[in-house]
Amino acid sequence: MIQQHVPHYFLNQVVSELGEPCEAIYNELKEGNIREFLKDIISTEFTPANTKEIRRSTNKLAQATKKRWYKTLADSVKKTKKSKKTEILKEIALLESLIDMYGFSEFKKLHNVETMDELIKKRLDEVAKWCSDKESRLMDYKYIRDKTPTQIKKALRYDAIIAIADVLIKNFDGNLNKIIIDQPLKYADHPVGNTSLTKMKLTDKSVLIDNKLHYISEYRPGEDYSLHTLVSQELLSEEKILRSIDNTDLEIFRSVISLRDNKQFFENRKVYVTIGDLVRATYGSDNKKNYNAVKERLMKMANVTFNVIEPNRTLVFGIFDRLDIQPLGNGEIAEITINEEIHQNYVKGQVIRAYSDRLASFQNKASQTLIFPLQKERFLCYFRQTGYSATFDYTYFIHKVQFRSKRKDVNLALIEQCLQDFVTQKVTVESYERKRDSFLINFFPVETYEVEDLLGNQQLTHFIEEVPEQINLK
């Protein structure tokens, strides 16, 4: 089994969610770095599918602990024999020393109370308010440092589990595997995705593959390059418009990959995923319309093949080689076999990675497609150590994404909108300057944590597409 990497980017978010006081208390335990503590919790407690359940069960334990601590505190001030000075009793003892030293007037001025009993009631009310607040953390307990190291560490664990779950749910659909998403090199290097929801225009050409007739949609951005999308006749219908592969399709593909079991995926190219999970990840709602839309898109992805045709080369790849949808409970489960060429991209580490929550912030749908080839260029700058600036002309962009319009001015405007999106959201592109049909792009330098999170063991060669043997279509 391939071990789950816990991204530093995510750990930083969790530490921020917990807050500086929590990190300070952990450091006082002198048991190492809080990030290692969090990594251990994630690896032992979390799976890509159990986030909400583990938050629910842990929060139940945390709320019970809060009630127990409050009761213990309230009982301690009622006892006639107060031999052990802890928590509120320790505070009272210190304040009595203060009164002895400076007088009762200084005590009243400092705490805005008339009597010691009034202060005790004030403290109990503060703790009662903390106890009843469902969002308060155990580390917010006023007398947390008077607890034993074992109690503190247990409470820290509860708080950490809840914080990890909260960040996962808020930013990553509750799925550990969606913190980092990746685009296969072939999808980043070739214009397989359209910038918008567009009807697929089929030519009068066709080809027979595995005894099935496939029609051809051609995208030709230059004289020496064309991309043919081969569509199985089974997809064609007079009642429904056939749409080009767009960002929503690629988003569903990335969701499928994020829900994989690594053993099944790397050994058999298979991913098992419920349709409902894909619908919620894609649309946020699993109503009937969205449910059927995802099924139709899965069918489309299983019935299209891409042919890249250049003067001395033909490259053939697809998305899914096989799709089998079966009933499961009240819903359905899909057994998906990833295309062999795309699977090889994953096996060889030929993927372009990015943080999914940053991509979700984009205002322009086309940005989510264009970001991957530019992220690749940014990583190439890192490996080649040639600086983080480069110029890209119009031809570069139309070889990476299929544009809906045939007008250059319209497409250049869309490219500029995407680049501004990246700058605004501070993702990949730090700044850019347009000069007629070209763009001088300044990339953000690759951060140290990104090297481990997004590059791992990848080398420069992982970002260079292998040239396959020529294949001739008949």
Side-chain angles (χ1 to χ4, degrees):
M1 177 70 72
I2 296 175
Q3 293 297 312
Q4 172 78 36
H5 168 66
V6 182
H8 294 278
Y9 175 77
F10 176 65
L11 291 173
N12 290 341
Q13 289 185 343
V14 176
V15 171
S16 177
E17 176 75 11
L18 285 168
E20 290 183 8
C22 182
E23 185 173 7
I25 291 169
Y26 182 83
N27 290 339
E28 290 168 15
L29 294 175
K30 301 186 184 303
E31 294 199 11
N33 188 289
I34 192 170
R35 285 164 176 77
E36 292 301 318
F37 174 67
L38 294 172
K39 284 167 69 174
D40 177 70
I41 290 173
I42 293 168
S43 63
T44 57
E45 302 284 356
F46 282 82
T47 71
N50 76 344
T51 301
K52 290 183 179 180
E53 174 55 30
I54 195 171
R55 190 200 188 282
R56 186 199 64 76
S57 59
T58 303
N59 188 55
K60 187 176 179 180
L61 293 170
Q63 300 306 321
T65 301
K66 286 158 69 173
K67 290 176 182 178
R68 189 166 61 251
W69 284 2
Y70 171 70
K71 185 178 184 303
T72 300
L73 184 70
D75 288 346
S76 70
V77 298
K78 295 176 185 177
K79 294 178 181 178
T80 55
K81 187 178 180 181
K82 304 180 179 66
S83 58
K84 189 177 180 182
K85 297 292 189 290
T86 60
E87 302 187 2
I88 197 169
L89 299 180
K90 182 187 289 186
E91 183 180 11
I92 291 169
L94 291 171
L95 290 173
E96 287 173 342
S97 299
L98 176 70
I99 294 169
D100 291 341
M101 187 176 297
Y102 297 107
F104 203 77
S105 60
E106 188 69 22
F107 165 79
K108 290 196 295 184
K109 187 194 303 183
L110 186 63
H111 293 285
N112 194 29
V113 293
E114 294 296 325
T115 66
M116 185 65 76
D117 285 343
E118 191 177 335
L119 177 63
I120 292 171
K121 183 180 183 306
K122 182 180 178 180
R123 290 289 186 257
L124 289 174
D125 287 345
E126 289 171 351
V127 176
K129 184 178 179 181
W130 162 80
C131 182
S132 61
D133 182 0
K134 301 298 183 184
E135 301 302 316
S136 67
R137 301 197 188 282
L138 289 167
M139 289 301 102
D140 297 332
Y141 180 55
K142 192 172 188 68
Y143 303 103
I144 184 64
R145 284 178 169 83
D146 273 321
K147 294 297 180 183
T148 67
T150 300
Q151 286 176 309
I152 292 173
K153 190 169 182 180
K154 188 174 183 179
L156 272 166
R157 193 172 186 87
Y158 288 165
D159 277 359
I161 289 173
I162 293 169
I164 291 164
D166 285 345
V167 174
L168 280 174
I169 292 167
K170 179 182 176 183
N171 297 338
F172 307 104
D173 295 329
N175 184 350
L176 275 170
N177 286 344
K178 286 193 76 172
I179 298 170
I180 294 173
I181 59 173
D182 40 39
Q183 189 89 315
L185 187 64
K186 286 183 171 60
Y187 294 168
D189 279 352
H190 300 287
V192 299
N194 203 289
T195 56
S196 59
L197 188 64
T198 305
K199 179 181 178 180
M200 190 179 292
K201 296 178 182 179
L202 300 176
T203 68
D204 56 4
K205 301 175 184 176
S206 64
V207 63
L208 199 63
I209 302 176
D210 295 332
N211 294 319
K212 290 182 181 179
L213 192 62
H214 286 68
Y215 291 93
I216 298 173
S217 174
E218 184 176 16
Y219 177 72
R220 192 176 181 85
E223 289 296 321
D224 296 331
Y225 181 103
S226 66
L227 183 137
H228 290 178
T229 304
L230 277 60
V231 183
S232 172
Q233 188 179 29
E234 296 175 359
L235 273 185
L236 304 181
S237 167
E238 293 182 1
E239 292 81 22
K240 294 181 180 178
I241 297 174
L242 180 62
R243 302 288 184 184
S244 299
I245 296 295
D246 61 14
N247 184 68
T248 302
D249 294 312
L250 295 177
E251 186 179 346
I252 291 172
F253 169 82
R254 291 192 289 266
S255 291
V256 168
I257 294 297
S258 75
L259 293 165
R260 70 183 182 260
D261 173 86
N262 280 328
K263 181 177 174 60
Q264 288 281 356
F265 176 73
F266 283 101
E267 291 183 0
N268 305 314
R269 295 192 283 137
K270 293 186 183 298
V271 180
Y272 295 88
V273 57
T274 64
I275 303 299
D277 284 342
L278 289 180
V279 178
R280 286 183 288 273
T282 306
Y283 295 105
S285 168
D286 57 357
N287 62 46
K288 186 175 181 181
K289 180 182 177 182
N290 292 340
Y291 194 95
N292 290 335
V294 166
K295 286 184 67 174
E296 287 177 8
R297 287 179 179 274
L298 289 172
M299 284 290 294
K300 177 173 65 175
M301 288 187 277
N303 283 280
V304 298
T305 304
F306 303 109
N307 286 198
V308 176
I309 300 173
E310 296 174 288
N312 298 310
R313 170 197 189 195
T314 298
L315 170 65
V316 179
F317 60 95
I319 303 178
F320 302 146
D321 278 353
R322 185 174 181 272
L323 172 69
D324 183 9
I325 299 176
Q326 298 283 346
L328 178 69
N330 295 324
E332 294 172 295
I333 188 169
E335 178 193 288
I336 299 171
T337 305
I338 303 300
N339 174 260
E340 188 169 359
E341 284 289 326
I342 300 306
H343 180 257
Q344 283 301 302
N345 272 179
Y346 284 95
V347 170
K348 296 174 182 177
Q350 295 177 312
V351 294
I352 313 300
R353 300 189 180 105
Y355 299 116
S356 66
D357 62 331
R358 306 301 302 280
L359 272 59
S361 66
F362 292 152
Q363 300 298 309
N364 195 320
K365 276 286 186 182
S367 299
Q368 296 186 6
T369 301
L370 190 57
I371 190 64
F372 287 99
L374 289 179
Q375 182 79 319
K376 172 187 172 180
E377 299 296 338
R378 177 176 173 241
F379 290 151
L380 288 175
C381 289
Y382 166 79
F383 281 115
R384 289 170 174 162
Q385 297 184 340
T386 53
Y388 282 95
S389 297
T391 298
F392 303 89
D393 62 15
Y394 178 66
T395 302
Y396 170 85
F397 293 98
I398 63 175
H399 277 75
K400 303 301 179 185
V401 181
Q402 292 188 38
F403 289 88
R404 182 175 185 176
S405 176
K406 292 184 178 180
R407 289 176 50 184
K408 181 187 286 189
D409 61 327
V410 173
N411 295 337
L412 283 168
L414 179 56
I415 293 167
E416 191 161 10
Q417 289 173 21
C418 292
L419 292 175
Q420 186 56 53
D421 211 356
F422 304 150
V423 172
T424 301
Q425 301 303 328
K426 298 181 179 179
V427 179
T428 302
V429 177
E430 186 172 25
S431 64
Y432 71 92
E433 181 182 350
R434 179 176 171 181
K435 295 181 178 179
R436 295 186 180 180
D437 296 351
S438 297
F439 297 87
L440 171 63
I441 296 178
N442 299 308
F443 296 108
F444 282 108
V446 176
E447 299 286 349
T448 302
Y449 67 86
E450 291 182 290
V451 174
E452 186 167 342
D453 286 354
L454 304 181
L455 294 176
N457 295 324
Q458 288 176 308
Q459 303 295 326
L460 175 61
T461 53
H462 290 107
F463 296 95
I464 308 299
E465 185 179 22
E466 296 176 357
V467 178
E469 294 181 6
Q470 186 171 357
I471 301 173
N472 294 313
L473 287 178
K474 297 182 180 180

